[in-house]
């Protein structure tokens, strides 16, 4: 009797803790770069202890590189969801023809249509995305009140965005938050401000990836290999869903259902439909396939991915030098720039984070300085630093804060990097988040300054193609 009671108790506890673990799992934190900012911005490595800013050190200049906020699916991806709806009907019809019971099939799937069916346009900033940037503007103003308290002038607070509407709309939403209650327009006391955009045909600072022919060629050539890496995961999950629902899912179906899951969870906060088809461990694997693609085609997987972002790094660094010059010359307020604020895309922000050497481990910083390929992000359940939901969620941002410190400190000027509003260690600065300007210049900026954008991007170089390291994706690993 006692043995039976003990077994029942063990079973109860196992079910209880399993249930608690499922409740703790939030699929919205595992959507790679489709993650919404407010859901993931505070999901970080708590082992890092930020530097206490020394007494007397004051911020004198800000550099912001931000991704646009949460957006609707693009027109191309909306068409994919329409095809998925047709495909689901085919699967259900086949099951009926083979007299397979449909009682296992979730009720929502039987009548599902894409929430974006009939829309003619896509990719625009949605209201959640507007809120993300508006609130970010308010928080940054509250965090640096003495730096952002001056009367608005476009030369003092420079705002730049790409010509893509969701990026320029994000810049406007941010500016409305940053300058709220600073004007006389309407009940919100808003004020007008300028957003500068470079032509798409010549924007090598915020859309360098779009002007870089060598990168376009690399990406086109590498995409089939990336798909090959992802295939075993999709195949395994397709087999599992076939057995569970008696529907003949293919790997392409899994890819489309995973995309639907990401859109439903991020944009609509619906987590019990497409996302409910996958277990937490399957979600982790699907997220990893996205992160693999993200790493190889946009991140550390190839040196060109980030080297082409040097024009942006140059712009950031030169703005810091100009701020230091203004400080040294004791220029009057209104005569020099206090913040340079940029709004672009994941393809902008990710290479920039790589140029700074963020999210690296151990000796990887030295390897990227030698242009050596890095190992791909380890497969779950192994831990990894490189996560799309952390590196570049919707409205993800990198803020470089230039500080002026007292003359008795080790350096007169320091750079602090905030990623998604949190201090982050810089391997190039010996793992510190508060870096002497001279070290930042010598170790992080200078090694990249030797690169010429035109030579990198538009001159055919006679050198072997750099290939990313391989990884094992079989179900047995």
């Amino acid at each position: 009797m006692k043995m039976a009671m003990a077994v029942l108790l063990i079973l109860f506890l196992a079910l209880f803790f399993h249930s608690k673990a499922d409740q703790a799992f939030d699929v919205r934190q595992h959507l790679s770069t489709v993650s919404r900012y407010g859901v993931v911005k505070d999901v970080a490595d708590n082992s890092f202890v930020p530097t206490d800013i020394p007494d007397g050190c004051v911020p004198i200049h800000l550099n912001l590189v931000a991704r646009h906020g949460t957006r609707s699916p693009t027109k191309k991806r909306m068409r994919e969801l329409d095809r998925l709806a047709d495909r689901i009907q085919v699967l259900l019809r086949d099951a009926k023809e083979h007299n397979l019971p449909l009682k296992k099939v979730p009720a929502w799937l039987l009548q599902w249509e894409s929430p974006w069916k009939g829309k003619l346009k896509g990719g625009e900033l949605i209201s959640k995305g507007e809120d993300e940037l508006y609130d970010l503007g308010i928080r940054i103003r509250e965090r640096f009140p003495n730096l952002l308290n001056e009367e608005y002038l476009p030369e003092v607070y420079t705002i730049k965005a790409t010509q893509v509407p969701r990026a320029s709309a994000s810049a406007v939403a941010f500016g409305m938050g940053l300058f709220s209650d600073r004007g006389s327009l309407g009940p919100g006391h808003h004020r007008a401000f300028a957003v500068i955009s470079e032509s798409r045909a010549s924007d090598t600072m915020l859309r360098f990836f779009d002007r870089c022919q060598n990168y376009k060629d690399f990406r086109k050539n590498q995409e089939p290999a990336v798909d090959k890496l992802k295939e075993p995961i999709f195949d395994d999950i397709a087999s599992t869903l076939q057995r569970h629902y008696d529907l003949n899912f293919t790997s392409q179906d899994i890819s489309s259902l995973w995309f639907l899951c990401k859109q439903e969870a991020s944009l609509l906060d619906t987590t019990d439909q497409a996302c409910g088809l996958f277990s937490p461990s399957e979600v982790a694997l699907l997220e990893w396939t996205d992160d693999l693609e993200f790493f190889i085609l946009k991140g550390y997987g190839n040196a060109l991915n980030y080297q082409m972002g040097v024009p942006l790094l140059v712009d950031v660094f030169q703005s810091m030098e100009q701020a230091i010059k203004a400080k040294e010359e004791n220029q009057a307020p209104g005569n020099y720039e206090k913040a340079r604020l940029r709004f672009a895309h994941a393809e902008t922000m990710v290479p920039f984070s790589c140029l700074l050497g963020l999210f690296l481990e151990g000796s990887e910083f030295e390897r990227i300085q030698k242009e050596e390929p890095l190992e791909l992000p380890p497969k779950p359940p192994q831990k990894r630093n490189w996560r799309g939901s952390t590196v570049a969620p919707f409205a993800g941002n990198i803020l470089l804060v230039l500080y002026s410190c007292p003359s008795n400190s080790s350096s007169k000027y320091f750079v602090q990097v905030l990623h998604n509003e949190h201090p982050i260690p810089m391997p190039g600065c010996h793992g510190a988040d508060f870096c002497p300007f001279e070290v930042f210049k010598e170790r992080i900026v200078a090694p990249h300054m030797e690169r010429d954008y035109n030579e990198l991007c538009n001159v055919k170089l006679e050198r072997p193609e750099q290939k990313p390291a391989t990884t094992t994706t079989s179900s047995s690993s």
Side-chain angles (χ1 to χ4, degrees), residues 322 325-333 335-336:
Q322 291 165 11
K325 182 174 183 290
K327 176 70 175 176
E328 293 293 312
E329 294 176 353
N330 200 27
Q331 294 181 21
N335 291 335
Y336 59 91

Side-chain angles (χ1 to χ4, degrees), residues 354-401:
C354 294
L355 288 170
L356 298 179
L358 307 184
F359 302 103
L360 292 174
E361 302 182 56
S363 62
E364 289 181 335
F365 182 74
E366 285 70 27
R367 291 180 64 184
I368 68 161
Q369 287 190 314
K370 298 174 184 176
E371 300 179 15
E372 296 175 359
L374 303 183
E375 297 298 321
L376 294 180
K379 183 180 177 182
Q382 298 178 72
K383 292 184 178 180
R384 64 184 186 277
N385 280 345
W386 185 265
R387 307 183 74 93
S389 58
T390 301
V391 179
F394 287 129
N397 55 86
I398 298 173
L399 187 66
L400 294 93
V401 188

Side-chain angles (χ1 to χ4, degrees), residues 214-224 293 297-298 347:
N214 286 342
Y215 171 69
K216 290 181 178 180
D217 293 342
F218 159 76
R219 181 164 181 160
K220 182 178 180 181
N221 293 333
Q222 195 66 39
E223 281 173 347
E293 178 177 343
L297 300 182
K298 298 177 185 178
E347 292 88 348

